[in-house]
Amino acid sequence: MNWKKKFDRVPGLVITVLLLVVSVIFMVMLARTKMIPDTYMIVAGVILFLFVVLTAALVWRMSNKIRFTVGALLGFVFIAILAIGGAYVNQTRKAITRISGEKTEITKISVYVKAEDTADSVDATKGDTYGILQALDRTNTDGAVAHLKSQFDTDVNTVEFPGLTELADGLLNGQVQALILNQAYVEVLSEMEGYTDIQSKIKEVGTVDVENVIAEKDEEPVKPVETAGGGKIYTIYISGIDTRGEMTASSRSDVNIVATINTETKQILLVSTPRDYFVPLSISNGAKDKLTHAGIYGIDVCMDTLGMLYDEDIHYYFRVNFGGFTKIIDALGGIDVDSDYEFDSRNILGWHYNKGVNHLDGESALVFARERYAFSEGDRQRGKNQMAVIKAVIAKAMSPDILKNYSSVIEGLDGCFGTNITYEEIAEILQDQLKNGGTWNVVTYSVNGTGAKEKPYSLSQPAYVMIPDETTVDKAKELMAKVRDGQTITQDEAASDTSTQDMGIPEDGPITPSPVPGQEGSSDAQEGTAADAAADTTTADSAA
């Protein structure tokens, strides 16, 4: 009889203990994210405790079959919910960990030979004389040379050339048998007059990955500026990479945005700078170059160069790989993007977009974000379209639809985003949003300029550049200062015309793109026509 009474309580005790253990594990995992405010954690803990007590009361005796059955069902359902919730929490924490806190960057330095050369590997070039650039990108080049010396266990003979065209000619004319060159420079070279077919005349036989630590401006860890009301101000460089390559690889940045964020006023200002802006690079000793070329030398050079332009200290960056966006967009079930124009893509044929809202899947969104030849504003409109895609993704991600394919979306973050903002800082921002809620006001502004032909620092011959319109640069500085000072800026204020210059078409006219599916057809020799400094706005509801 005693044995029967004891056994009558065993199943209920097992269910109760199991629920208690799962609840504790869930709370620990939730705490590890550092994203949940203490008040919310306490409330969640109390609710879980009450569920455990309720379940225990229902399943305490198996002899009461109805109560036991109801309690057991509730217990197992709640255990399943906590297990699934815990898996999502853990997956989210790991995904943010992967994209945050970047400290290194990879530069791909390749060995090139003539297309008809029989060499099919780096080892096959041992004993050759290698052409290298005399001054440009020497840190990475020297790192690759040192790697080859170690690999060959012998000295590597090199010949220095003053510029890209001279380097290419040295290989094609037989002065050297191979080149050691940053991959990004080959794309730059192929856009120069007389060298558009260079990629058909040379071939890559191997690559050396040179890892560099992203330069820190200060010995102490970077911290955002605190406001009087307890908020924080972040100034972040957003780099839009229009490729499907590695996030941590240094490359030209097609979209360059400085985000000024005030968490107290819930104000975000996005200032877009055209890729061809002709400005001194932080490493060029005053020599001017296209802004997009700054990315060849590392993301820290991009931040410092834009910091010089806008008189800002920019310590944070956030990379967006538009090529990798397709899997996230497909996982979300597509996005609704608002287009400023009706147009047919001229970069990749076969795509049509209506003025107004277009429902796009991953591939069509990528084509939309990459198109610039269909617009008189060229690359400036492409930047606006890419911002429209980002906004549409955020809007869809904030909707209940994200729950349908949450795992796929979270997995897609890896390879699409990367930042040096730490996990703790991201968690703090999310925790603040959960605690205080509120609507974010997002305003965008684009600086302007005039088209011209100049010789950039990174090139051997004149190319199309955009001479900055200083009135629009000054206005950008003014808007940034207002956000930092806690003022609310409106879209009308950002959209008011300050431009005194127009962007001109290069004398040789815009280049017609090659309609090859999947290829960008990008050209450093082509950009848009006259345009006022434009602005768009969005309001994102991120309330808890």
Side-chain angles (χ1 to χ4, degrees):
M1 189 70 176
N2 290 334
W3 179 84
K4 289 183 178 180
K5 287 183 178 180
K6 290 181 180 179
F7 181 77
D8 190 43
R9 296 176 181 179
V10 169
L13 182 62
V14 170
I15 293 173
T16 302
V17 170
L18 183 59
L19 178 57
L20 180 63
V21 170
V22 173
S23 298
V24 171
I25 293 174
F26 178 79
M27 289 299 296
V28 170
M29 295 176 69
L30 209 58
R32 287 183 66 192
T33 67
K34 303 179 183 179
M35 299 176 189
I36 311 301
D38 291 341
T39 303
Y40 285 28
M41 288 293 296
I42 293 172
V43 171
V46 170
I47 291 174
L48 286 178
F49 176 75
L50 292 176
F51 266 107
V52 172
V53 171
L54 175 62
T55 302
L58 291 173
V59 300
W60 189 243
R61 288 188 179 278
M62 192 176 177
S63 57
N64 192 328
K65 294 183 179 180
I66 295 177
R67 287 181 59 183
F68 179 85
T69 302
V70 172
L73 286 174
L74 285 176
F76 285 121
V77 167
F78 208 66
I79 288 171
I81 291 173
L82 289 175
I84 295 172
Y88 280 144
V89 168
N90 191 49
Q91 191 177 19
T92 301
R93 185 181 63 82
K94 287 183 177 180
I96 295 178
T97 300
R98 285 195 298 268
I99 69 173
S100 63
E102 285 186 354
K103 295 185 181 297
T104 61
E105 189 171 39
I106 301 297
T107 300
K108 291 188 174 294
I109 307 295
S110 293
V111 176
Y112 298 93
V113 297
K114 288 184 181 180
E116 63 271 18
D117 197 303
T118 58
D120 58 359
S121 66
V122 173
D123 286 336
T125 66
K126 182 178 180 179
D128 287 352
T129 299
Y130 300 86
I132 62 175
L133 287 169
Q134 188 175 69
L136 294 176
D137 201 35
R138 278 307 297 264
T139 300
N140 290 317
T141 301
D142 291 344
V145 170
H147 178 88
L148 292 182
K149 285 182 179 179
S150 175
Q151 181 175 336
F152 296 155
D153 194 25
T154 185
D155 286 338
V156 174
N157 298 318
T158 61
V159 175
E160 297 180 353
F161 293 89
L164 281 175
T165 56
E166 294 87 350
L167 180 68
D169 291 342
L171 175 63
L172 299 177
N173 297 335
Q175 293 175 258
V176 294
Q177 292 78 52
L179 304 179
I180 299 175
L181 185 64
N182 189 324
Q183 283 185 352
Y185 276 123
V186 176
E187 296 177 5
V188 173
L189 184 62
S190 66
E191 294 163 356
M192 299 174 67
E193 186 177 350
Y195 296 87
T196 56
D197 61 346
I198 187 65
Q199 296 193 52
S200 66
K201 293 182 177 180
I202 64 175
K203 67 178 180 180
E204 176 189 301
V205 294
T207 300
V208 175
D209 288 346
V210 179
E211 184 175 25
N212 297 303
V213 175
I214 297 172
E216 294 279 359
K217 293 183 182 179
D218 306 302
E219 293 183 5
E220 296 295 324
V222 177
K223 294 182 179 179
V225 177
E226 293 192 7
T227 66
K232 293 186 178 179
I233 298 169
Y234 294 86
T235 304
I236 305 172
Y237 166 58
I238 301 175
S239 172
I241 305 170
D242 195 12
T243 70
R244 301 177 189 262
E246 296 179 49
M247 279 301 306
T248 56
S250 59
S251 64
R252 295 181 302 167
S253 181
D254 288 311
V255 176
N256 300 277
I257 296 168
V258 177
T260 307
I261 304 171
N262 189 320
T263 64
E264 181 181 352
T265 60
K266 303 293 183 183
Q267 177 79 65
I268 299 176
L269 171 68
L270 304 177
V271 174
S272 177
T273 310
R275 68 195 292 274
D276 289 317
Y277 237 41
F278 198 49
V279 293
L281 304 186
S282 62
I283 60 165
S284 64
N285 295 319
K288 294 183 178 181
D289 202 345
K290 291 170 177 275
L291 175 60
T292 187
H293 292 164
I296 297 174
Y297 310 105
I299 201 160
D300 54 320
V301 176
C302 295
M303 290 190 288
D304 291 342
T305 298
L306 284 167
M308 290 165 53
L309 177 64
Y310 295 115
D311 297 329
E312 272 294 316
D313 286 330
I314 304 175
H315 298 281
Y316 295 106
Y317 69 81
F318 190 86
R319 302 190 225 225
V320 180
N321 185 335
F322 286 94
F325 245 16
T326 56
K327 54 186 176 182
I328 290 182
I329 293 172
D330 286 335
L332 286 169
I335 55 175
D336 295 322
V337 178
D338 197 353
S339 176
D340 294 331
Y341 304 101
E342 179 178 2
F343 67 94
D344 291 308
S345 174
R346 293 173 54 194
N347 177 37
I348 301 177
L349 301 183
W351 299 90
H352 176 82
Y353 301 89
N354 298 315
K355 182 177 181 180
V357 177
N358 296 259
H359 184 76
L360 307 178
D361 63 10
E363 194 62 31
S364 57
L366 179 59
V367 174
F368 178 85
R370 300 176 86 179
E371 179 59 43
R372 64 176 170 139
Y373 295 104
F375 311 112
S376 61
E377 288 184 295
D379 192 63
R380 293 183 73 245
Q381 184 61 42
R382 176 169 66 169
K384 294 177 186 178
N385 287 353
Q386 290 174 332
M387 286 300 301
V389 169
I390 292 174
K391 293 175 185 178
V393 169
I394 292 173
K396 192 64 175 287
M398 291 170 59
S399 73
D401 289 344
I402 192 174
L403 298 176
K404 298 177 183 177
N405 299 291
Y406 184 80
S407 295
S408 299
V409 173
I410 290 297
E411 289 174 3
L413 292 176
D414 195 18
C416 292
F417 303 99
T419 180
N420 66 338
I421 302 175
T422 65
Y423 179 94
E424 287 72 20
E425 288 169 317
I426 294 175
E428 184 178 345
I429 293 171
L430 294 174
Q431 185 177 134
D432 179 73
Q433 184 62 34
L434 284 172
K435 185 189 302 182
N436 300 317
T439 299
W440 287 86
N441 180 38
V442 183
V443 175
T444 67
Y445 179 76
S446 177
V447 295
N448 200 2
T450 301
K453 280 288 188 71
E454 298 286 348
K455 182 181 178 296
Y457 167 75
S458 298
L459 300 184
S460 305
Q461 58 182 238
Y464 174 84
V465 300
M466 186 184 294
I467 307 299
D469 179 349
E470 294 299 335
T471 59
T472 62
V473 173
D474 289 341
K475 179 165 183 177
K477 295 178 185 178
E478 177 188 342
L479 294 173
M480 291 175 181
K482 287 185 176 181
V483 173
R484 291 194 302 272
D485 292 341
Q487 300 181 44
T488 299
I489 58 175
T490 65
Q491 192 53 50
D492 289 340
E493 181 181 1
S496 60
D497 186 17
T498 60
S499 177
T500 60
Q501 303 179 29
D502 288 330
M503 294 187 295
I505 299 178
E507 292 180 4
D508 54 355
I511 291 178
T512 301
S514 174
V516 178
Q519 293 185 359
E520 162 70 12
S522 174
S523 172
D524 276 340
Q526 184 270 343
E527 279 307 330
T529 58
D532 294 328
D536 299 308
T537 186
T538 186
T539 299
D541 287 324
S542 305

